[in-house]
Amino acid sequence: MEERTPVGVVLSGASTKNAICQLFEHAERGRIREGMFLQIETHRDRRILARVTSIIPQNEFYLPGDAWTEARRKQWDVPENLARKYELCELELLGEIPKLREISVPPYAGDKVFEIDVSKAPEDIFGKKFDSPGIIWYGSLLGYNNAPIPLDIEGIPMHCAVFGVTGSGKSYDVGALIEKLVRINAGENTQLSLPMLIIDANADYIDYFEYCNKNGHFGACPVVTRYVFPNSPEMRMHRANTKPIAINLNNLTLRDLAELIVQYYSGGEKNELQVAGIESLIHYMDQRGDIIENDFQSIFLDDEIFRRSLQRLEELRSAGDIHSATAAAIRRGLNKFMEIERQYNLLSESPRLEKKFVDDLTKSRGIAIFDFSADGAPGVPLSLKQLVISYISSILYQRFTEYKLKQEERYLLFIIEEAQNYCPNLSTYNVGYSLAREKLALISTQGRKFGLSLCLVSQRPSFIDPIVLSMCNTFFIHRISPEDVSFVKKVSGGLPKDLERRLTTLELGEVIVTGQMSVVPFPLVIKVPTREVPHTSGKTDVLGALRRLAE
């Protein structure tokens, strides 16, 4: 890097972790700001990268209890031009450059401190070039106009999480990240897209569906498909690349189906007697020729077969094979489960979401958006949304397990907005239902081995199941609620004190990035990049509406 005019000098007392720098006059009064990166050049020709954690202006005529106390009290003029005035700069030492090696010897008093243009020295600092394959350059370091940070896509299989209160910019952030993941540099002037499945709670990502339909592609992603519930008005519009959310129960094992029926009825509780009773019932129906082997779907699609299932249940109860109370609960569970077809047509619509859906999505490197907003899921209760995610999680896990057994390497990023509603921490968040929690926990603990990755997005991270969250290794942290501070510090592995203090005060679009995807071993504070595709969801026009009503 080219030599620069020094901005300060190291004072005594530095360690391998921290140092105090006195700024030179030309670098005072705002030229050096908190969050900036500086470079210490030692007398042994070593270079140390440092981050400014605080700026402390000093003036000997404005000290508590000094000789000028009475003068200030009387509002007399204080001869400031005679005072010793200077600025101290507290530094966190990050590593020796290049490549941020561990610091084994601290800087010494008198070592000069220089500004460093991070945007012009990515290889020297991060060990990555702007054209490095598999690296996406994201946002801009806070305090710089154009200093993106490198994120390594090889860290995606280790799962990630995005936290931030409403209005902090987390969904905008995820959208900006998606825009990078559809343009991954693969070398030789080639871009590739990472397959993604997005649970969109508030239509935050429908803009990408619209953009792709209009332009025929979205970066290197050939198609963005929008999935809505069959009762959605969107289905009647017959728009290109809009498909119904339709499930095939035959993709589930008998055990999984029995658990799903019981949990859907009970609100997430798994009663083993009821699960075993349903398994026995379906086996009995199969032996009696009521259904074709493993054709679970027909039980809930054919009224006659469903009526017969209740009759067979009564026979098993009368024979003493199923206890009366258990049989009564199973009957109620079967009737409630029938509503997913009678009210929402989730079983009869097609094409159904099954293995081919996973094959096509991963092979084409496309994006599937499940629209759970009021437009895509009108009047659909949370319990049914949880059931859909439980089903999707099951077929994803099954298919990726099969890919692994066949030594077929595939990858998919499963993004879940409002994640606390689908894998809740039941000790802190009583959501009423938790049908998908176990399946998501399975993906979080096992999916990384198969290429199936989670990205959990939430405004209340402490409401997410701690087992699921503990498997995440990359974090994008926006402004969070004070109640979540200790929880976030714990799950993210700890943050420097100056960043801890900012967790509740980060401004819109500011985000702390830390973990596996980051190529550096310390947290970075960045400004989220401007999205290529405008974010239209959530925009309001209160004044315009009031004017129109007044006309």
Side-chain angles (χ1 to χ4, degrees), residues 6 11-12 60 72 81 156 191 203 205 228 244 249 288-289 291 310 354 387 393 399 414 424 432 494 533 551:
L11 303 181
S12 295
E60 68 173 345
R72 290 194 299 272
N81 59 318
I156 289 178
Q191 290 185 339
Y205 311 105
V228 299
L249 300 177
R288 298 296 298 267
I291 58 173
L310 300 181
E354 39 199 343
L387 182 145
S393 301
R399 198 61 180 137
F414 189 9
V533 180
E551 291 175 355

PDB file of all heavy atoms in Angstrom, residues 6 11-12 60 72 81 156 191 203 205 228 244 249 288-289 291 310 354 387 393 399 414 424 432 494 533 551:
ATOM      1  N   PRO A   6       0.892  10.363   8.320  1.00  0.00           N
ATOM      2  CA  PRO A   6       0.344   9.789   9.546  1.00  0.00           C
ATOM      3  C   PRO A   6      -0.726  10.685  10.147  1.00  0.00           C
ATOM      4  O   PRO A   6      -0.694  11.909  10.007  1.00  0.00           O
ATOM      5  CB  PRO A   6       1.554   9.657  10.468  1.00  0.00           C
ATOM      6  CG  PRO A   6       2.556  10.636   9.934  1.00  0.00           C
ATOM      7  CD  PRO A   6       2.335  10.684   8.457  1.00  0.00           C
ATOM      8  N   LEU A  11       0.502   5.844  21.994  1.00  0.00           N
ATOM      9  CA  LEU A  11       0.989   6.213  23.318  1.00  0.00           C
ATOM     10  C   LEU A  11       1.358   4.960  24.109  1.00  0.00           C
ATOM     11  O   LEU A  11       1.096   3.834  23.689  1.00  0.00           O
ATOM     12  CB  LEU A  11      -0.074   7.023  24.053  1.00  0.00           C
ATOM     13  CG  LEU A  11      -0.546   8.299  23.355  1.00  0.00           C
ATOM     14  CD1 LEU A  11      -1.581   9.015  24.219  1.00  0.00           C
ATOM     15  CD2 LEU A  11       0.633   9.223  23.037  1.00  0.00           C
ATOM     16  N   SER A  12       1.931   5.154  25.254  1.00  0.00           N
ATOM     17  CA  SER A  12       2.363   4.024  26.089  1.00  0.00           C
ATOM     18  C   SER A  12       1.162   3.202  26.569  1.00  0.00           C
ATOM     19  O   SER A  12       0.040   3.709  26.677  1.00  0.00           O
ATOM     20  CB  SER A  12       3.140   4.541  27.307  1.00  0.00           C
ATOM     21  OG  SER A  12       4.340   5.172  26.904  1.00  0.00           O
ATOM     22  N   GLU A  60      -7.227  20.682  28.928  1.00  0.00           N
ATOM     23  CA  GLU A  60      -6.824  20.753  30.335  1.00  0.00           C
ATOM     24  C   GLU A  60      -7.527  21.863  31.102  1.00  0.00           C
ATOM     25  O   GLU A  60      -7.494  21.894  32.330  1.00  0.00           O
ATOM     26  CB  GLU A  60      -5.314  20.931  30.439  1.00  0.00           C
ATOM     27  CG  GLU A  60      -4.816  22.267  29.939  1.00  0.00           C
ATOM     28  CD  GLU A  60      -3.337  22.456  30.231  1.00  0.00           C
ATOM     29  OE1 GLU A  60      -2.793  21.698  31.051  1.00  0.00           O
ATOM     30  OE2 GLU A  60      -2.734  23.378  29.654  1.00  0.00           O
ATOM     31  N   ARG A  72     -15.601  29.289  35.087  1.00  0.00           N
ATOM     32  CA  ARG A  72     -16.694  28.739  34.282  1.00  0.00           C
ATOM     33  C   ARG A  72     -18.029  28.962  34.979  1.00  0.00           C
ATOM     34  O   ARG A  72     -19.052  29.244  34.339  1.00  0.00           O
ATOM     35  CB  ARG A  72     -16.456  27.242  34.031  1.00  0.00           C
ATOM     36  CG  ARG A  72     -15.302  26.950  33.087  1.00  0.00           C
ATOM     37  CD  ARG A  72     -15.346  25.481  32.613  1.00  0.00           C
ATOM     38  NE  ARG A  72     -15.229  24.547  33.712  1.00  0.00           N
ATOM     39  CZ  ARG A  72     -14.077  24.086  34.194  1.00  0.00           C
ATOM     40  NH1 ARG A  72     -12.923  24.490  33.664  1.00  0.00           N
ATOM     41  NH2 ARG A  72     -14.056  23.225  35.189  1.00  0.00           N
ATOM     42  N   ASN A  81      -6.920  29.441  24.341  1.00  0.00           N
ATOM     43  CA  ASN A  81      -5.738  29.364  23.481  1.00  0.00           C
ATOM     44  C   ASN A  81      -4.479  28.988  24.245  1.00  0.00           C
ATOM     45  O   ASN A  81      -3.460  28.636  23.653  1.00  0.00           O
ATOM     46  CB  ASN A  81      -5.529  30.699  22.748  1.00  0.00           C
ATOM     47  CG  ASN A  81      -5.338  31.865  23.704  1.00  0.00           C
ATOM     48  OD1 ASN A  81      -6.031  31.965  24.720  1.00  0.00           O
ATOM     49  ND2 ASN A  81      -4.429  32.792  23.368  1.00  0.00           N
ATOM     50  N   ILE A 156     -22.157 -20.627   3.758  1.00  0.00           N
ATOM     51  CA  ILE A 156     -23.618 -20.691   3.763  1.00  0.00           C
ATOM     52  C   ILE A 156     -24.152 -22.004   4.338  1.00  0.00           C
ATOM     53  O   ILE A 156     -25.137 -21.996   5.088  1.00  0.00           O
ATOM     54  CB  ILE A 156     -24.175 -20.426   2.349  1.00  0.00           C
ATOM     55  CG1 ILE A 156     -23.983 -18.956   1.986  1.00  0.00           C
ATOM     56  CG2 ILE A 156     -25.655 -20.788   2.255  1.00  0.00           C
ATOM     57  CD1 ILE A 156     -24.447 -18.592   0.592  1.00  0.00           C
ATOM     58  N   GLN A 191     -21.227 -16.083 -14.043  1.00  0.00           N
ATOM     59  CA  GLN A 191     -21.982 -15.888 -12.814  1.00  0.00           C
ATOM     60  C   GLN A 191     -22.947 -17.045 -12.616  1.00  0.00           C
ATOM     61  O   GLN A 191     -23.502 -17.573 -13.591  1.00  0.00           O
ATOM     62  CB  GLN A 191     -22.767 -14.577 -12.846  1.00  0.00           C
ATOM     63  CG  GLN A 191     -21.906 -13.332 -12.762  1.00  0.00           C
ATOM     64  CD  GLN A 191     -22.735 -12.065 -12.676  1.00  0.00           C
ATOM     65  OE1 GLN A 191     -23.904 -12.044 -13.060  1.00  0.00           O
ATOM     66  NE2 GLN A 191     -22.144 -10.997 -12.150  1.00  0.00           N
ATOM     67  N   ALA A 203     -44.707 -10.304   1.984  1.00  0.00           N
ATOM     68  CA  ALA A 203     -44.518  -9.901   0.580  1.00  0.00           C
ATOM     69  C   ALA A 203     -43.290  -9.008   0.410  1.00  0.00           C
ATOM     70  O   ALA A 203     -43.282  -8.107  -0.433  1.00  0.00           O
ATOM     71  CB  ALA A 203     -45.770  -9.209   0.036  1.00  0.00           C
ATOM     72  N   TYR A 205     -40.434  -9.977  -0.752  1.00  0.00           N
ATOM     73  CA  TYR A 205     -39.580 -10.428  -1.849  1.00  0.00           C
ATOM     74  C   TYR A 205     -40.348 -10.652  -3.152  1.00  0.00           C
ATOM     75  O   TYR A 205     -39.788 -11.137  -4.128  1.00  0.00           O
ATOM     76  CB  TYR A 205     -38.846 -11.714  -1.431  1.00  0.00           C
ATOM     77  CG  TYR A 205     -38.199 -11.562  -0.083  1.00  0.00           C
ATOM     78  CD1 TYR A 205     -38.733 -12.159   1.053  1.00  0.00           C
ATOM     79  CD2 TYR A 205     -37.071 -10.757   0.074  1.00  0.00           C
ATOM     80  CE1 TYR A 205     -38.154 -11.975   2.296  1.00  0.00           C
ATOM     81  CE2 TYR A 205     -36.491 -10.566   1.307  1.00  0.00           C
ATOM     82  CZ  TYR A 205     -37.044 -11.181   2.422  1.00  0.00           C
ATOM     83  OH  TYR A 205     -36.472 -10.975   3.642  1.00  0.00           O
ATOM     84  N   VAL A 228     -48.687 -19.706  -3.912  1.00  0.00           N
ATOM     85  CA  VAL A 228     -49.736 -19.117  -3.079  1.00  0.00           C
ATOM     86  C   VAL A 228     -50.736 -20.204  -2.698  1.00  0.00           C
ATOM     87  O   VAL A 228     -50.797 -21.262  -3.334  1.00  0.00           O
ATOM     88  CB  VAL A 228     -50.459 -17.964  -3.816  1.00  0.00           C
ATOM     89  CG1 VAL A 228     -49.485 -16.859  -4.164  1.00  0.00           C
ATOM     90  CG2 VAL A 228     -51.154 -18.479  -5.070  1.00  0.00           C
ATOM     91  N   PRO A 244     -49.931 -23.134  -7.193  1.00  0.00           N
ATOM     92  CA  PRO A 244     -50.594 -23.327  -5.904  1.00  0.00           C
ATOM     93  C   PRO A 244     -49.711 -24.070  -4.916  1.00  0.00           C
ATOM     94  O   PRO A 244     -48.841 -24.859  -5.310  1.00  0.00           O
ATOM     95  CB  PRO A 244     -51.815 -24.180  -6.276  1.00  0.00           C
ATOM     96  CG  PRO A 244     -51.341 -24.994  -7.439  1.00  0.00           C
ATOM     97  CD  PRO A 244     -50.428 -24.079  -8.216  1.00  0.00           C
ATOM     98  N   LEU A 249     -49.422 -36.120   0.610  1.00  0.00           N
ATOM     99  CA  LEU A 249     -49.161 -36.832   1.860  1.00  0.00           C
ATOM    100  C   LEU A 249     -48.401 -38.128   1.645  1.00  0.00           C
ATOM    101  O   LEU A 249     -47.788 -38.665   2.579  1.00  0.00           O
ATOM    102  CB  LEU A 249     -50.483 -37.117   2.582  1.00  0.00           C
ATOM    103  CG  LEU A 249     -51.319 -35.886   2.960  1.00  0.00           C
ATOM    104  CD1 LEU A 249     -52.629 -36.315   3.601  1.00  0.00           C
ATOM    105  CD2 LEU A 249     -50.542 -34.964   3.893  1.00  0.00           C
ATOM    106  N   ARG A 288     -57.648 -54.401   5.051  1.00  0.00           N
ATOM    107  CA  ARG A 288     -59.038 -54.628   4.655  1.00  0.00           C
ATOM    108  C   ARG A 288     -59.314 -54.197   3.210  1.00  0.00           C
ATOM    109  O   ARG A 288     -60.448 -54.299   2.731  1.00  0.00           O
ATOM    110  CB  ARG A 288     -59.982 -53.864   5.604  1.00  0.00           C
ATOM    111  CG  ARG A 288     -59.902 -54.293   7.071  1.00  0.00           C
ATOM    112  CD  ARG A 288     -60.359 -55.742   7.251  1.00  0.00           C
ATOM    113  NE  ARG A 288     -61.753 -55.908   6.846  1.00  0.00           N
ATOM    114  CZ  ARG A 288     -62.780 -55.810   7.675  1.00  0.00           C
ATOM    115  NH1 ARG A 288     -62.568 -55.541   8.955  1.00  0.00           N
ATOM    116  NH2 ARG A 288     -64.012 -55.988   7.235  1.00  0.00           N
ATOM    117  N   GLY A 289     -58.307 -53.678   2.532  1.00  0.00           N
ATOM    118  CA  GLY A 289     -58.479 -53.266   1.146  1.00  0.00           C
ATOM    119  C   GLY A 289     -59.213 -51.943   0.982  1.00  0.00           C
ATOM    120  O   GLY A 289     -59.721 -51.643  -0.113  1.00  0.00           O
ATOM    121  N   ILE A 291     -57.824 -48.969   1.142  1.00  0.00           N
ATOM    122  CA  ILE A 291     -56.957 -48.044   0.397  1.00  0.00           C
ATOM    123  C   ILE A 291     -55.870 -48.840  -0.308  1.00  0.00           C
ATOM    124  O   ILE A 291     -55.564 -49.975   0.060  1.00  0.00           O
ATOM    125  CB  ILE A 291     -56.290 -47.001   1.325  1.00  0.00           C
ATOM    126  CG1 ILE A 291     -55.467 -47.701   2.417  1.00  0.00           C
ATOM    127  CG2 ILE A 291     -57.306 -46.075   1.935  1.00  0.00           C
ATOM    128  CD1 ILE A 291     -54.645 -46.745   3.260  1.00  0.00           C
ATOM    129  N   LEU A 310     -63.350 -43.655   9.611  1.00  0.00           N
ATOM    130  CA  LEU A 310     -63.990 -43.469  10.913  1.00  0.00           C
ATOM    131  C   LEU A 310     -64.690 -44.746  11.363  1.00  0.00           C
ATOM    132  O   LEU A 310     -64.711 -45.073  12.563  1.00  0.00           O
ATOM    133  CB  LEU A 310     -64.995 -42.309  10.830  1.00  0.00           C
ATOM    134  CG  LEU A 310     -64.420 -40.938  10.445  1.00  0.00           C
ATOM    135  CD1 LEU A 310     -65.513 -39.885  10.436  1.00  0.00           C
ATOM    136  CD2 LEU A 310     -63.288 -40.536  11.374  1.00  0.00           C
ATOM    137  N   GLU A 354     -43.410 -31.974  -4.298  1.00  0.00           N
ATOM    138  CA  GLU A 354     -42.803 -33.244  -3.923  1.00  0.00           C
ATOM    139  C   GLU A 354     -41.370 -33.283  -4.402  1.00  0.00           C
ATOM    140  O   GLU A 354     -40.763 -32.235  -4.623  1.00  0.00           O
ATOM    141  CB  GLU A 354     -43.635 -34.410  -4.439  1.00  0.00           C
ATOM    142  CG  GLU A 354     -44.240 -34.241  -5.807  1.00  0.00           C
ATOM    143  CD  GLU A 354     -45.394 -35.207  -6.042  1.00  0.00           C
ATOM    144  OE1 GLU A 354     -45.518 -36.190  -5.315  1.00  0.00           O
ATOM    145  OE2 GLU A 354     -46.171 -34.970  -6.979  1.00  0.00           O
ATOM    146  N   LEU A 387     -48.045 -26.114   9.183  1.00  0.00           N
ATOM    147  CA  LEU A 387     -48.177 -27.444   8.583  1.00  0.00           C
ATOM    148  C   LEU A 387     -47.471 -27.491   7.230  1.00  0.00           C
ATOM    149  O   LEU A 387     -46.767 -28.455   6.921  1.00  0.00           O
ATOM    150  CB  LEU A 387     -49.651 -27.806   8.434  1.00  0.00           C
ATOM    151  CG  LEU A 387     -49.967 -29.197   7.869  1.00  0.00           C
ATOM    152  CD1 LEU A 387     -51.226 -29.772   8.520  1.00  0.00           C
ATOM    153  CD2 LEU A 387     -50.143 -29.186   6.351  1.00  0.00           C
ATOM    154  N   SER A 393     -40.300 -28.932   4.920  1.00  0.00           N
ATOM    155  CA  SER A 393     -39.064 -29.322   5.613  1.00  0.00           C
ATOM    156  C   SER A 393     -38.831 -30.818   5.495  1.00  0.00           C
ATOM    157  O   SER A 393     -37.694 -31.275   5.327  1.00  0.00           O
ATOM    158  CB  SER A 393     -39.124 -28.900   7.080  1.00  0.00           C
ATOM    159  OG  SER A 393     -39.293 -27.505   7.208  1.00  0.00           O
ATOM    160  N   ARG A 399     -35.138 -35.469   0.522  1.00  0.00           N
ATOM    161  CA  ARG A 399     -34.487 -35.426  -0.795  1.00  0.00           C
ATOM    162  C   ARG A 399     -33.005 -35.141  -0.666  1.00  0.00           C
ATOM    163  O   ARG A 399     -32.193 -35.740  -1.392  1.00  0.00           O
ATOM    164  CB  ARG A 399     -35.159 -34.362  -1.669  1.00  0.00           C
ATOM    165  CG  ARG A 399     -34.861 -34.541  -3.151  1.00  0.00           C
ATOM    166  CD  ARG A 399     -35.362 -35.876  -3.633  1.00  0.00           C
ATOM    167  NE  ARG A 399     -35.107 -36.104  -5.047  1.00  0.00           N
ATOM    168  CZ  ARG A 399     -34.664 -37.255  -5.542  1.00  0.00           C
ATOM    169  NH1 ARG A 399     -34.410 -38.280  -4.732  1.00  0.00           N
ATOM    170  NH2 ARG A 399     -34.479 -37.409  -6.832  1.00  0.00           N
ATOM    171  N   PHE A 414     -32.638 -22.109   2.487  1.00  0.00           N
ATOM    172  CA  PHE A 414     -34.030 -22.078   2.932  1.00  0.00           C
ATOM    173  C   PHE A 414     -34.198 -20.854   3.836  1.00  0.00           C
ATOM    174  O   PHE A 414     -33.803 -20.870   5.004  1.00  0.00           O
ATOM    175  CB  PHE A 414     -34.327 -23.381   3.678  1.00  0.00           C
ATOM    176  CG  PHE A 414     -35.776 -23.603   4.030  1.00  0.00           C
ATOM    177  CD1 PHE A 414     -36.793 -22.799   3.558  1.00  0.00           C
ATOM    178  CD2 PHE A 414     -36.133 -24.674   4.847  1.00  0.00           C
ATOM    179  CE1 PHE A 414     -38.111 -23.021   3.884  1.00  0.00           C
ATOM    180  CE2 PHE A 414     -37.454 -24.924   5.180  1.00  0.00           C
ATOM    181  CZ  PHE A 414     -38.446 -24.092   4.700  1.00  0.00           C
ATOM    182  N   PRO A 424     -40.463 -21.889  17.324  1.00  0.00           N
ATOM    183  CA  PRO A 424     -40.492 -21.026  18.514  1.00  0.00           C
ATOM    184  C   PRO A 424     -39.732 -21.613  19.705  1.00  0.00           C
ATOM    185  O   PRO A 424     -39.620 -22.826  19.855  1.00  0.00           O
ATOM    186  CB  PRO A 424     -41.990 -20.935  18.822  1.00  0.00           C
ATOM    187  CG  PRO A 424     -42.547 -22.230  18.310  1.00  0.00           C
ATOM    188  CD  PRO A 424     -41.760 -22.550  17.081  1.00  0.00           C
ATOM    189  N   GLY A 432     -48.775 -20.889  20.311  1.00  0.00           N
ATOM    190  CA  GLY A 432     -50.000 -21.682  20.197  1.00  0.00           C
ATOM    191  C   GLY A 432     -49.802 -22.968  19.425  1.00  0.00           C
ATOM    192  O   GLY A 432     -50.353 -24.002  19.771  1.00  0.00           O
ATOM    193  N   GLY A 494     -20.356 -13.605  21.236  1.00  0.00           N
ATOM    194  CA  GLY A 494     -19.788 -12.425  21.877  1.00  0.00           C
ATOM    195  C   GLY A 494     -19.419 -11.344  20.880  1.00  0.00           C
ATOM    196  O   GLY A 494     -19.081 -11.624  19.730  1.00  0.00           O
ATOM    197  N   VAL A 533     -33.305  -3.991  -7.212  1.00  0.00           N
ATOM    198  CA  VAL A 533     -34.751  -4.030  -7.422  1.00  0.00           C
ATOM    199  C   VAL A 533     -35.398  -3.265  -6.272  1.00  0.00           C
ATOM    200  O   VAL A 533     -35.246  -3.646  -5.104  1.00  0.00           O
ATOM    201  CB  VAL A 533     -35.273  -5.477  -7.449  1.00  0.00           C
ATOM    202  CG1 VAL A 533     -36.779  -5.504  -7.660  1.00  0.00           C
ATOM    203  CG2 VAL A 533     -34.562  -6.268  -8.546  1.00  0.00           C
ATOM    204  N   GLU A 551     -61.479  14.877  -1.275  1.00  0.00           N
ATOM    205  CA  GLU A 551     -61.918  15.468  -2.539  1.00  0.00           C
ATOM    206  C   GLU A 551     -63.412  15.286  -2.767  1.00  0.00           C
ATOM    207  O   GLU A 551     -63.994  14.298  -2.376  1.00  0.00           O
ATOM    208  CB  GLU A 551     -61.123  14.845  -3.696  1.00  0.00           C
ATOM    209  CG  GLU A 551     -59.656  15.259  -3.681  1.00  0.00           C
ATOM    210  CD  GLU A 551     -58.863  14.540  -4.763  1.00  0.00           C
ATOM    211  OE1 GLU A 551     -59.445  13.653  -5.451  1.00  0.00           O
ATOM    212  OE2 GLU A 551     -57.682  14.844  -4.919  1.00  0.00           O
TER     213      GLU A 551
END
